[in-house]
Amino acid sequence: MAAAQADQRAPGLLSIGQVLARLQVDFADLTPSKLRFLEEQGLVTPERTKSGYRKFSQEHIERLRLILTLQRDHYLPLKVIAELLDEMDAGRDPLIPGAASRSASSILAPKRVLSSDELRRATGASARFLGEAIAAGLLPAAEVFPHDAVAQLSALLKLAEQGITPRHLRALRVSAEREAELIAHAVSTRGLKSGTPAGTEGSLELAGHLETVRSGVLRRRFGGL
């Protein structure tokens, strides 16, 4: 029994129930049997724990979202969808048949927002835990949340399992805000010197560099290379 429970808590992977909670927001008719059918057809291949439980990564979820969208919105049969997936797996970006030159990758990870109830269903978080994350400034105090809040709240839940609660991460939020101010100043100064307006692209580029430096510091702190 303990081994099965450990398997079900495989880090970073989701159970069928969690996948359904995320995808049923957009695909209300999705069922466990349909997920298993798509697996049987070879369209998605979830990982398996030692006890045989299916576990899905974020890549699996986006692949399922693509399959279901192609079925619902473009009326494509599974055979055609399988061919499109093979093309994408080979590193190509095929066009969707009959979709006016729209590529398959264009419907991956669609931009959308979630209500607090949808966010909690997608992650399994309680209303109290979500409130703690908002109070700590780790998620926005809003009626709707960006789609990437699912990954953020899921990560906060994983940290909480190890005793690192949102309350402990207030310093992280303060540090991130200071970094944002540093980036904004650097981008603005560079824009003034070059005569070009400061933009989001430049800010994200610097944020990526800071994240690389931070990751290196943490790896060295814990004995990594």
Side-chain angles (χ1 to χ4, degrees), residues 120-148:
R120 289 194 294 108
R121 283 200 301 270
T123 59
S126 66
R128 179 177 179 178
F129 189 86
L130 176 58
E132 291 175 354
I134 293 172
L138 302 171
L139 288 174
E143 294 184 1
V144 294
F145 299 85
H147 196 267
D148 62 2

Side-chain angles (χ1 to χ4, degrees), residues 22-68:
R22 291 196 182 190
L23 292 178
Q24 282 177 336
V25 175
D26 296 314
F27 306 96
D29 61 345
L30 183 61
T31 62
S33 60
K34 184 168 184 177
L35 280 180
R36 287 191 286 269
F37 175 73
L38 294 176
E39 179 186 0
E40 291 169 0
Q41 297 301 306
L43 298 178
V44 64
T45 308
E47 298 182 30
R48 295 274 185 164
T49 65
K50 292 180 180 179
S51 299
Y53 292 101
R54 293 176 176 84
K55 288 294 179 178
F56 297 80
S57 67
Q58 184 61 38
E59 288 74 18
H60 292 134
I61 292 174
E62 294 308 327
R63 189 178 182 91
L64 285 166
R65 187 183 298 279
L66 173 61
I67 293 167
L68 296 170

Side-chain angles (χ1 to χ4, degrees), residues 32-223:
S33 60
K34 184 168 184 177
L35 280 180
R36 287 191 286 269
F37 175 73
L38 294 176
E39 179 186 0
E40 291 169 0
Q41 297 301 306
L43 298 178
V44 64
T45 308
E47 298 182 30
R48 295 274 185 164
T49 65
K50 292 180 180 179
S51 299
Y53 292 101
R54 293 176 176 84
K55 288 294 179 178
F56 297 80
S57 67
Q58 184 61 38
E59 288 74 18
H60 292 134
I61 292 174
E62 294 308 327
R63 189 178 182 91
L64 285 166
R65 187 183 298 279
L66 173 61
I67 293 167
L68 296 170
T69 300
L70 290 172
Q71 278 188 307
R72 184 193 63 191
D73 298 348
H74 300 279
Y75 311 105
L76 297 183
L78 290 182
K79 180 179 179 181
V80 175
I81 293 175
E83 292 171 353
L84 290 175
L85 292 173
D86 287 342
E87 287 285 299
M88 296 182 73
D89 292 341
R92 294 182 283 273
D93 189 9
L95 297 179
I96 301 172
S101 300
R102 188 180 184 188
S103 69
S105 67
S106 68
I107 58 177
L108 285 172
K111 299 292 185 181
R112 62 183 307 275
V113 294
L114 302 171
S115 68
S116 59
D117 287 342
E118 289 172 335
L119 178 59
R120 289 194 294 108
R121 283 200 301 270
T123 59
S126 66
R128 179 177 179 178
F129 189 86
L130 176 58
E132 291 175 354
I134 293 172
L138 302 171
L139 288 174
E143 294 184 1
V144 294
F145 299 85
H147 196 267
D148 62 2
V150 172
Q152 294 170 352
L153 189 56
S154 296
L156 288 171
L157 287 167
K158 292 293 184 183
L159 290 168
E161 290 176 1
Q162 304 301 319
I164 304 174
T165 68
R167 176 174 55 86
H168 295 124
L169 297 174
R170 291 179 186 272
L172 182 149
R173 187 257 302 168
V174 172
S175 175
E177 290 176 349
R178 288 176 177 169
E179 288 182 4
E181 292 176 359
L182 177 65
I183 290 171
H185 176 72
V187 171
S188 176
T189 300
R190 185 173 63 182
L192 289 174
K193 289 181 178 179
S194 64
T196 58
T200 302
E201 184 176 347
S203 298
L204 292 176
E205 179 185 354
L206 292 182
H209 294 326
L210 280 175
E211 184 60 35
T212 298
V213 173
R214 183 192 298 109
S215 297
V217 172
L218 285 173
R219 283 197 302 273
R220 289 193 297 275
R221 174 63 178 82
F222 294 105

